[in-house]
Amino acid sequence: MTVVSPNKAGERVAKYADMFSAMGTEPRLRIMQLLLSAHPEGLVVGDIQDALAIPNSTLSHHLDKLKNEGLVDVRREGTFLRYTANTEALQELLQFLYAECCTRNKALKPEAIVRICK
């Protein structure tokens, strides 16, 4: 069993809190949903804007927040920016929650989580 120092554990919890905070608004959660539905190709900004009807300046702010917390990746394609969900970061975040609720503290049965995801 790997033992994580209290300081390192605190840093991880702070990181996850920032990630949850970044997704803690309806527009950002909708952006994440949309990018996950378009995985792995992702979407260019114009397509995100069209799908969600978010003004360009506001969308840019939301995408920057998600990018800064490592939840989305961006790459330039000519004059376009293509965003993709960072599934590795989401997996890490889900593993943290799963460990806390289903293994360490046993607040939920693992089968209940798997059933929800099917």
Side-chain angles (χ1 to χ4, degrees), residues 21-55:
S21 177
M23 289 189 294
T25 67
E26 181 185 346
R28 290 186 205 141
L29 196 53
R30 290 174 61 215
I31 291 167
M32 291 303 300
Q33 252 184 325
L34 185 64
L35 290 176
L36 286 167
S37 72
H39 187 74
E41 295 84 17
L43 295 166
V44 295
V45 173
D47 292 339
I48 298 169
Q49 187 175 14
D50 290 345
L52 300 178
I54 299 174

PDB file of all heavy atoms in Angstrom, residues 21-55:
ATOM      1  N   SER A  21     -14.197  23.220  -8.915  1.00  0.00           N
ATOM      2  CA  SER A  21     -14.612  24.619  -8.986  1.00  0.00           C
ATOM      3  C   SER A  21     -14.695  25.085 -10.438  1.00  0.00           C
ATOM      4  O   SER A  21     -15.630  25.796 -10.818  1.00  0.00           O
ATOM      5  CB  SER A  21     -13.630  25.489  -8.199  1.00  0.00           C
ATOM      6  OG  SER A  21     -13.972  26.843  -8.313  1.00  0.00           O
ATOM      7  N   ALA A  22     -13.725  24.663 -11.246  1.00  0.00           N
ATOM      8  CA  ALA A  22     -13.720  25.053 -12.663  1.00  0.00           C
ATOM      9  C   ALA A  22     -14.942  24.512 -13.391  1.00  0.00           C
ATOM     10  O   ALA A  22     -15.456  25.145 -14.310  1.00  0.00           O
ATOM     11  CB  ALA A  22     -12.441  24.562 -13.346  1.00  0.00           C
ATOM     12  N   MET A  23     -15.425  23.353 -12.982  1.00  0.00           N
ATOM     13  CA  MET A  23     -16.611  22.775 -13.618  1.00  0.00           C
ATOM     14  C   MET A  23     -17.894  23.182 -12.910  1.00  0.00           C
ATOM     15  O   MET A  23     -18.974  22.754 -13.286  1.00  0.00           O
ATOM     16  CB  MET A  23     -16.515  21.246 -13.630  1.00  0.00           C
ATOM     17  CG  MET A  23     -15.493  20.717 -14.589  1.00  0.00           C
ATOM     18  SD  MET A  23     -15.563  18.921 -14.779  1.00  0.00           S
ATOM     19  CE  MET A  23     -15.068  18.361 -13.146  1.00  0.00           C
ATOM     20  N   GLY A  24     -17.777  24.034 -11.905  1.00  0.00           N
ATOM     21  CA  GLY A  24     -18.898  24.343 -11.029  1.00  0.00           C
ATOM     22  C   GLY A  24     -19.865  25.387 -11.523  1.00  0.00           C
ATOM     23  O   GLY A  24     -20.641  25.914 -10.733  1.00  0.00           O
ATOM     24  N   THR A  25     -19.832  25.692 -12.800  1.00  0.00           N
ATOM     25  CA  THR A  25     -20.847  26.570 -13.366  1.00  0.00           C
ATOM     26  C   THR A  25     -21.547  25.812 -14.485  1.00  0.00           C
ATOM     27  O   THR A  25     -20.953  24.932 -15.116  1.00  0.00           O
ATOM     28  CB  THR A  25     -20.241  27.868 -13.945  1.00  0.00           C
ATOM     29  OG1 THR A  25     -19.436  27.552 -15.083  1.00  0.00           O
ATOM     30  CG2 THR A  25     -19.403  28.611 -12.907  1.00  0.00           C
ATOM     31  N   GLU A  26     -22.789  26.159 -14.721  1.00  0.00           N
ATOM     32  CA  GLU A  26     -23.549  25.452 -15.755  1.00  0.00           C
ATOM     33  C   GLU A  26     -22.876  25.521 -17.129  1.00  0.00           C
ATOM     34  O   GLU A  26     -22.744  24.488 -17.795  1.00  0.00           O
ATOM     35  CB  GLU A  26     -24.971  25.994 -15.838  1.00  0.00           C
ATOM     36  CG  GLU A  26     -25.798  25.275 -16.886  1.00  0.00           C
ATOM     37  CD  GLU A  26     -27.187  25.875 -17.071  1.00  0.00           C
ATOM     38  OE1 GLU A  26     -27.610  26.677 -16.224  1.00  0.00           O
ATOM     39  OE2 GLU A  26     -27.821  25.527 -18.075  1.00  0.00           O
ATOM     40  N   PRO A  27     -22.414  26.696 -17.587  1.00  0.00           N
ATOM     41  CA  PRO A  27     -21.790  26.730 -18.911  1.00  0.00           C
ATOM     42  C   PRO A  27     -20.556  25.837 -19.007  1.00  0.00           C
ATOM     43  O   PRO A  27     -20.368  25.145 -20.011  1.00  0.00           O
ATOM     44  CB  PRO A  27     -21.414  28.199 -19.103  1.00  0.00           C
ATOM     45  CG  PRO A  27     -22.291  28.958 -18.172  1.00  0.00           C
ATOM     46  CD  PRO A  27     -22.529  28.039 -17.009  1.00  0.00           C
ATOM     47  N   ARG A  28     -19.731  25.808 -17.985  1.00  0.00           N
ATOM     48  CA  ARG A  28     -18.513  24.993 -18.046  1.00  0.00           C
ATOM     49  C   ARG A  28     -18.837  23.507 -17.995  1.00  0.00           C
ATOM     50  O   ARG A  28     -18.197  22.704 -18.674  1.00  0.00           O
ATOM     51  CB  ARG A  28     -17.558  25.378 -16.919  1.00  0.00           C
ATOM     52  CG  ARG A  28     -16.969  26.750 -17.139  1.00  0.00           C
ATOM     53  CD  ARG A  28     -15.923  27.077 -16.098  1.00  0.00           C
ATOM     54  NE  ARG A  28     -15.837  28.519 -15.991  1.00  0.00           N
ATOM     55  CZ  ARG A  28     -15.678  29.180 -14.874  1.00  0.00           C
ATOM     56  NH1 ARG A  28     -15.555  28.530 -13.727  1.00  0.00           N
ATOM     57  NH2 ARG A  28     -15.620  30.489 -14.870  1.00  0.00           N
ATOM     58  N   LEU A  29     -19.830  23.154 -17.225  1.00  0.00           N
ATOM     59  CA  LEU A  29     -20.236  21.754 -17.190  1.00  0.00           C
ATOM     60  C   LEU A  29     -20.831  21.343 -18.540  1.00  0.00           C
ATOM     61  O   LEU A  29     -20.571  20.238 -19.035  1.00  0.00           O
ATOM     62  CB  LEU A  29     -21.229  21.511 -16.054  1.00  0.00           C
ATOM     63  CG  LEU A  29     -21.467  20.068 -15.646  1.00  0.00           C
ATOM     64  CD1 LEU A  29     -20.162  19.337 -15.344  1.00  0.00           C
ATOM     65  CD2 LEU A  29     -22.381  20.006 -14.443  1.00  0.00           C
ATOM     66  N   ARG A  30     -21.573  22.233 -19.160  1.00  0.00           N
ATOM     67  CA  ARG A  30     -22.113  21.950 -20.500  1.00  0.00           C
ATOM     68  C   ARG A  30     -20.984  21.825 -21.525  1.00  0.00           C
ATOM     69  O   ARG A  30     -21.043  20.975 -22.424  1.00  0.00           O
ATOM     70  CB  ARG A  30     -23.103  23.041 -20.897  1.00  0.00           C
ATOM     71  CG  ARG A  30     -24.394  22.969 -20.067  1.00  0.00           C
ATOM     72  CD  ARG A  30     -25.348  24.108 -20.329  1.00  0.00           C
ATOM     73  NE  ARG A  30     -25.781  24.117 -21.719  1.00  0.00           N
ATOM     74  CZ  ARG A  30     -26.035  25.233 -22.422  1.00  0.00           C
ATOM     75  NH1 ARG A  30     -25.924  26.423 -21.861  1.00  0.00           N
ATOM     76  NH2 ARG A  30     -26.426  25.157 -23.666  1.00  0.00           N
ATOM     77  N   ILE A  31     -19.951  22.656 -21.401  1.00  0.00           N
ATOM     78  CA  ILE A  31     -18.795  22.559 -22.293  1.00  0.00           C
ATOM     79  C   ILE A  31     -18.132  21.194 -22.125  1.00  0.00           C
ATOM     80  O   ILE A  31     -17.804  20.532 -23.113  1.00  0.00           O
ATOM     81  CB  ILE A  31     -17.790  23.701 -22.025  1.00  0.00           C
ATOM     82  CG1 ILE A  31     -18.369  25.043 -22.464  1.00  0.00           C
ATOM     83  CG2 ILE A  31     -16.458  23.432 -22.733  1.00  0.00           C
ATOM     84  CD1 ILE A  31     -17.598  26.264 -21.961  1.00  0.00           C
ATOM     85  N   MET A  32     -17.942  20.767 -20.876  1.00  0.00           N
ATOM     86  CA  MET A  32     -17.318  19.466 -20.635  1.00  0.00           C
ATOM     87  C   MET A  32     -18.163  18.342 -21.221  1.00  0.00           C
ATOM     88  O   MET A  32     -17.636  17.428 -21.853  1.00  0.00           O
ATOM     89  CB  MET A  32     -17.096  19.245 -19.125  1.00  0.00           C
ATOM     90  CG  MET A  32     -16.037  20.133 -18.515  1.00  0.00           C
ATOM     91  SD  MET A  32     -14.409  20.007 -19.275  1.00  0.00           S
ATOM     92  CE  MET A  32     -14.012  18.284 -19.011  1.00  0.00           C
ATOM     93  N   GLN A  33     -19.473  18.417 -21.032  1.00  0.00           N
ATOM     94  CA  GLN A  33     -20.378  17.409 -21.603  1.00  0.00           C
ATOM     95  C   GLN A  33     -20.233  17.345 -23.113  1.00  0.00           C
ATOM     96  O   GLN A  33     -20.140  16.270 -23.703  1.00  0.00           O
ATOM     97  CB  GLN A  33     -21.828  17.785 -21.279  1.00  0.00           C
ATOM     98  CG  GLN A  33     -22.492  16.934 -20.278  1.00  0.00           C
ATOM     99  CD  GLN A  33     -23.954  17.348 -20.109  1.00  0.00           C
ATOM    100  OE1 GLN A  33     -24.319  18.527 -20.197  1.00  0.00           O
ATOM    101  NE2 GLN A  33     -24.786  16.391 -19.835  1.00  0.00           N
ATOM    102  N   LEU A  34     -20.219  18.516 -23.732  1.00  0.00           N
ATOM    103  CA  LEU A  34     -20.119  18.583 -25.187  1.00  0.00           C
ATOM    104  C   LEU A  34     -18.785  18.020 -25.670  1.00  0.00           C
ATOM    105  O   LEU A  34     -18.741  17.248 -26.632  1.00  0.00           O
ATOM    106  CB  LEU A  34     -20.293  20.040 -25.642  1.00  0.00           C
ATOM    107  CG  LEU A  34     -20.333  20.288 -27.134  1.00  0.00           C
ATOM    108  CD1 LEU A  34     -21.546  19.610 -27.771  1.00  0.00           C
ATOM    109  CD2 LEU A  34     -20.370  21.790 -27.404  1.00  0.00           C
ATOM    110  N   LEU A  35     -17.698  18.399 -25.002  1.00  0.00           N
ATOM    111  CA  LEU A  35     -16.383  17.907 -25.416  1.00  0.00           C
ATOM    112  C   LEU A  35     -16.258  16.401 -25.201  1.00  0.00           C
ATOM    113  O   LEU A  35     -15.626  15.709 -26.004  1.00  0.00           O
ATOM    114  CB  LEU A  35     -15.274  18.652 -24.678  1.00  0.00           C
ATOM    115  CG  LEU A  35     -15.101  20.111 -25.082  1.00  0.00           C
ATOM    116  CD1 LEU A  35     -14.038  20.790 -24.228  1.00  0.00           C
ATOM    117  CD2 LEU A  35     -14.776  20.244 -26.563  1.00  0.00           C
ATOM    118  N   LEU A  36     -16.852  15.890 -24.152  1.00  0.00           N
ATOM    119  CA  LEU A  36     -16.832  14.439 -23.948  1.00  0.00           C
ATOM    120  C   LEU A  36     -17.643  13.719 -25.018  1.00  0.00           C
ATOM    121  O   LEU A  36     -17.268  12.635 -25.465  1.00  0.00           O
ATOM    122  CB  LEU A  36     -17.342  14.086 -22.548  1.00  0.00           C
ATOM    123  CG  LEU A  36     -16.355  14.407 -21.425  1.00  0.00           C
ATOM    124  CD1 LEU A  36     -17.037  14.338 -20.075  1.00  0.00           C
ATOM    125  CD2 LEU A  36     -15.150  13.482 -21.485  1.00  0.00           C
ATOM    126  N   SER A  37     -18.737  14.334 -25.459  1.00  0.00           N
ATOM    127  CA  SER A  37     -19.534  13.709 -26.520  1.00  0.00           C
ATOM    128  C   SER A  37     -18.798  13.732 -27.854  1.00  0.00           C
ATOM    129  O   SER A  37     -19.097  12.931 -28.735  1.00  0.00           O
ATOM    130  CB  SER A  37     -20.900  14.389 -26.648  1.00  0.00           C
ATOM    131  OG  SER A  37     -20.775  15.665 -27.220  1.00  0.00           O
ATOM    132  N   ALA A  38     -17.839  14.625 -27.998  1.00  0.00           N
ATOM    133  CA  ALA A  38     -17.066  14.733 -29.239  1.00  0.00           C
ATOM    134  C   ALA A  38     -15.686  14.086 -29.112  1.00  0.00           C
ATOM    135  O   ALA A  38     -14.830  14.271 -29.977  1.00  0.00           O
ATOM    136  CB  ALA A  38     -16.907  16.205 -29.613  1.00  0.00           C
ATOM    137  N   HIS A  39     -15.475  13.332 -28.054  1.00  0.00           N
ATOM    138  CA  HIS A  39     -14.171  12.709 -27.813  1.00  0.00           C
ATOM    139  C   HIS A  39     -13.938  11.570 -28.782  1.00  0.00           C
ATOM    140  O   HIS A  39     -14.871  10.833 -29.086  1.00  0.00           O
ATOM    141  CB  HIS A  39     -14.116  12.195 -26.368  1.00  0.00           C
ATOM    142  CG  HIS A  39     -12.775  11.686 -25.972  1.00  0.00           C
ATOM    143  ND1 HIS A  39     -11.733  12.537 -25.716  1.00  0.00           N
ATOM    144  CD2 HIS A  39     -12.301  10.437 -25.811  1.00  0.00           C
ATOM    145  CE1 HIS A  39     -10.669  11.814 -25.415  1.00  0.00           C
ATOM    146  NE2 HIS A  39     -10.993  10.542 -25.465  1.00  0.00           N
ATOM    147  N   PRO A  40     -12.771  11.381 -29.321  1.00  0.00           N
ATOM    148  CA  PRO A  40     -11.514  12.048 -29.014  1.00  0.00           C
ATOM    149  C   PRO A  40     -11.190  13.227 -29.932  1.00  0.00           C
ATOM    150  O   PRO A  40     -10.208  13.920 -29.716  1.00  0.00           O
ATOM    151  CB  PRO A  40     -10.484  10.939 -29.202  1.00  0.00           C
ATOM    152  CG  PRO A  40     -11.036  10.113 -30.331  1.00  0.00           C
ATOM    153  CD  PRO A  40     -12.547  10.178 -30.145  1.00  0.00           C
ATOM    154  N   GLU A  41     -12.000  13.471 -30.954  1.00  0.00           N
ATOM    155  CA  GLU A  41     -11.671  14.518 -31.918  1.00  0.00           C
ATOM    156  C   GLU A  41     -11.748  15.919 -31.313  1.00  0.00           C
ATOM    157  O   GLU A  41     -11.004  16.810 -31.702  1.00  0.00           O
ATOM    158  CB  GLU A  41     -12.603  14.460 -33.142  1.00  0.00           C
ATOM    159  CG  GLU A  41     -12.452  13.207 -33.975  1.00  0.00           C
ATOM    160  CD  GLU A  41     -13.269  12.043 -33.423  1.00  0.00           C
ATOM    161  OE1 GLU A  41     -14.182  12.262 -32.599  1.00  0.00           O
ATOM    162  OE2 GLU A  41     -12.967  10.906 -33.794  1.00  0.00           O
ATOM    163  N   GLY A  42     -12.684  16.135 -30.398  1.00  0.00           N
ATOM    164  CA  GLY A  42     -12.877  17.466 -29.841  1.00  0.00           C
ATOM    165  C   GLY A  42     -13.623  18.359 -30.808  1.00  0.00           C
ATOM    166  O   GLY A  42     -14.148  17.901 -31.831  1.00  0.00           O
ATOM    167  N   LEU A  43     -13.663  19.634 -30.480  1.00  0.00           N
ATOM    168  CA  LEU A  43     -14.402  20.597 -31.290  1.00  0.00           C
ATOM    169  C   LEU A  43     -13.628  21.908 -31.390  1.00  0.00           C
ATOM    170  O   LEU A  43     -12.910  22.279 -30.459  1.00  0.00           O
ATOM    171  CB  LEU A  43     -15.760  20.902 -30.648  1.00  0.00           C
ATOM    172  CG  LEU A  43     -16.756  19.754 -30.564  1.00  0.00           C
ATOM    173  CD1 LEU A  43     -17.883  20.108 -29.617  1.00  0.00           C
ATOM    174  CD2 LEU A  43     -17.292  19.427 -31.947  1.00  0.00           C
ATOM    175  N   VAL A  44     -13.816  22.592 -32.505  1.00  0.00           N
ATOM    176  CA  VAL A  44     -13.256  23.939 -32.623  1.00  0.00           C
ATOM    177  C   VAL A  44     -14.185  24.904 -31.902  1.00  0.00           C
ATOM    178  O   VAL A  44     -15.374  24.616 -31.683  1.00  0.00           O
ATOM    179  CB  VAL A  44     -13.032  24.354 -34.093  1.00  0.00           C
ATOM    180  CG1 VAL A  44     -11.963  23.471 -34.747  1.00  0.00           C
ATOM    181  CG2 VAL A  44     -14.305  24.345 -34.883  1.00  0.00           C
ATOM    182  N   VAL A  45     -13.645  26.046 -31.540  1.00  0.00           N
ATOM    183  CA  VAL A  45     -14.386  27.009 -30.733  1.00  0.00           C
ATOM    184  C   VAL A  45     -15.721  27.379 -31.369  1.00  0.00           C
ATOM    185  O   VAL A  45     -16.742  27.450 -30.685  1.00  0.00           O
ATOM    186  CB  VAL A  45     -13.529  28.275 -30.477  1.00  0.00           C
ATOM    187  CG1 VAL A  45     -14.337  29.358 -29.792  1.00  0.00           C
ATOM    188  CG2 VAL A  45     -12.316  27.917 -29.636  1.00  0.00           C
ATOM    189  N   GLY A  46     -15.738  27.589 -32.676  1.00  0.00           N
ATOM    190  CA  GLY A  46     -16.984  27.968 -33.359  1.00  0.00           C
ATOM    191  C   GLY A  46     -18.072  26.925 -33.198  1.00  0.00           C
ATOM    192  O   GLY A  46     -19.245  27.260 -33.029  1.00  0.00           O
ATOM    193  N   ASP A  47     -17.689  25.651 -33.230  1.00  0.00           N
ATOM    194  CA  ASP A  47     -18.664  24.579 -33.047  1.00  0.00           C
ATOM    195  C   ASP A  47     -19.200  24.548 -31.618  1.00  0.00           C
ATOM    196  O   ASP A  47     -20.387  24.289 -31.396  1.00  0.00           O
ATOM    197  CB  ASP A  47     -18.056  23.223 -33.409  1.00  0.00           C
ATOM    198  CG  ASP A  47     -17.766  23.099 -34.897  1.00  0.00           C
ATOM    199  OD1 ASP A  47     -18.367  23.852 -35.695  1.00  0.00           O
ATOM    200  OD2 ASP A  47     -16.922  22.245 -35.257  1.00  0.00           O
ATOM    201  N   ILE A  48     -18.333  24.811 -30.652  1.00  0.00           N
ATOM    202  CA  ILE A  48     -18.772  24.865 -29.257  1.00  0.00           C
ATOM    203  C   ILE A  48     -19.740  26.030 -29.087  1.00  0.00           C
ATOM    204  O   ILE A  48     -20.809  25.885 -28.476  1.00  0.00           O
ATOM    205  CB  ILE A  48     -17.568  25.013 -28.302  1.00  0.00           C
ATOM    206  CG1 ILE A  48     -16.643  23.813 -28.413  1.00  0.00           C
ATOM    207  CG2 ILE A  48     -18.048  25.212 -26.861  1.00  0.00           C
ATOM    208  CD1 ILE A  48     -15.306  23.982 -27.706  1.00  0.00           C
ATOM    209  N   GLN A  49     -19.374  27.162 -29.664  1.00  0.00           N
ATOM    210  CA  GLN A  49     -20.215  28.355 -29.564  1.00  0.00           C
ATOM    211  C   GLN A  49     -21.581  28.117 -30.207  1.00  0.00           C
ATOM    212  O   GLN A  49     -22.619  28.470 -29.636  1.00  0.00           O
ATOM    213  CB  GLN A  49     -19.517  29.539 -30.218  1.00  0.00           C
ATOM    214  CG  GLN A  49     -20.229  30.843 -30.022  1.00  0.00           C
ATOM    215  CD  GLN A  49     -19.438  32.009 -30.597  1.00  0.00           C
ATOM    216  OE1 GLN A  49     -18.500  31.824 -31.350  1.00  0.00           O
ATOM    217  NE2 GLN A  49     -19.830  33.205 -30.232  1.00  0.00           N
ATOM    218  N   ASP A  50     -21.596  27.515 -31.363  1.00  0.00           N
ATOM    219  CA  ASP A  50     -22.863  27.226 -32.045  1.00  0.00           C
ATOM    220  C   ASP A  50     -23.737  26.266 -31.242  1.00  0.00           C
ATOM    221  O   ASP A  50     -24.952  26.456 -31.127  1.00  0.00           O
ATOM    222  CB  ASP A  50     -22.608  26.622 -33.432  1.00  0.00           C
ATOM    223  CG  ASP A  50     -22.021  27.622 -34.415  1.00  0.00           C
ATOM    224  OD1 ASP A  50     -22.071  28.852 -34.142  1.00  0.00           O
ATOM    225  OD2 ASP A  50     -21.498  27.179 -35.451  1.00  0.00           O
ATOM    226  N   ALA A  51     -23.121  25.241 -30.682  1.00  0.00           N
ATOM    227  CA  ALA A  51     -23.888  24.231 -29.950  1.00  0.00           C
ATOM    228  C   ALA A  51     -24.467  24.765 -28.643  1.00  0.00           C
ATOM    229  O   ALA A  51     -25.565  24.381 -28.250  1.00  0.00           O
ATOM    230  CB  ALA A  51     -23.006  23.017 -29.658  1.00  0.00           C
ATOM    231  N   LEU A  52     -23.735  25.665 -27.990  1.00  0.00           N
ATOM    232  CA  LEU A  52     -24.150  26.106 -26.663  1.00  0.00           C
ATOM    233  C   LEU A  52     -24.672  27.538 -26.616  1.00  0.00           C
ATOM    234  O   LEU A  52     -25.156  27.978 -25.570  1.00  0.00           O
ATOM    235  CB  LEU A  52     -22.987  25.955 -25.670  1.00  0.00           C
ATOM    236  CG  LEU A  52     -22.457  24.523 -25.504  1.00  0.00           C
ATOM    237  CD1 LEU A  52     -21.289  24.509 -24.539  1.00  0.00           C
ATOM    238  CD2 LEU A  52     -23.554  23.580 -25.054  1.00  0.00           C
ATOM    239  N   ALA A  53     -24.563  28.261 -27.723  1.00  0.00           N
ATOM    240  CA  ALA A  53     -25.042  29.648 -27.805  1.00  0.00           C
ATOM    241  C   ALA A  53     -24.458  30.522 -26.688  1.00  0.00           C
ATOM    242  O   ALA A  53     -25.171  31.270 -26.027  1.00  0.00           O
ATOM    243  CB  ALA A  53     -26.568  29.695 -27.793  1.00  0.00           C
ATOM    244  N   ILE A  54     -23.152  30.399 -26.495  1.00  0.00           N
ATOM    245  CA  ILE A  54     -22.435  31.214 -25.521  1.00  0.00           C
ATOM    246  C   ILE A  54     -21.670  32.281 -26.293  1.00  0.00           C
ATOM    247  O   ILE A  54     -20.955  31.954 -27.236  1.00  0.00           O
ATOM    248  CB  ILE A  54     -21.457  30.350 -24.685  1.00  0.00           C
ATOM    249  CG1 ILE A  54     -22.211  29.281 -23.900  1.00  0.00           C
ATOM    250  CG2 ILE A  54     -20.623  31.222 -23.749  1.00  0.00           C
ATOM    251  CD1 ILE A  54     -21.298  28.295 -23.176  1.00  0.00           C
ATOM    252  N   PRO A  55     -21.802  33.563 -25.914  1.00  0.00           N
ATOM    253  CA  PRO A  55     -21.053  34.618 -26.607  1.00  0.00           C
ATOM    254  C   PRO A  55     -19.551  34.328 -26.601  1.00  0.00           C
ATOM    255  O   PRO A  55     -19.014  33.764 -25.640  1.00  0.00           O
ATOM    256  CB  PRO A  55     -21.367  35.882 -25.798  1.00  0.00           C
ATOM    257  CG  PRO A  55     -22.624  35.571 -25.061  1.00  0.00           C
ATOM    258  CD  PRO A  55     -22.617  34.086 -24.825  1.00  0.00           C
TER     259      PRO A  55
END
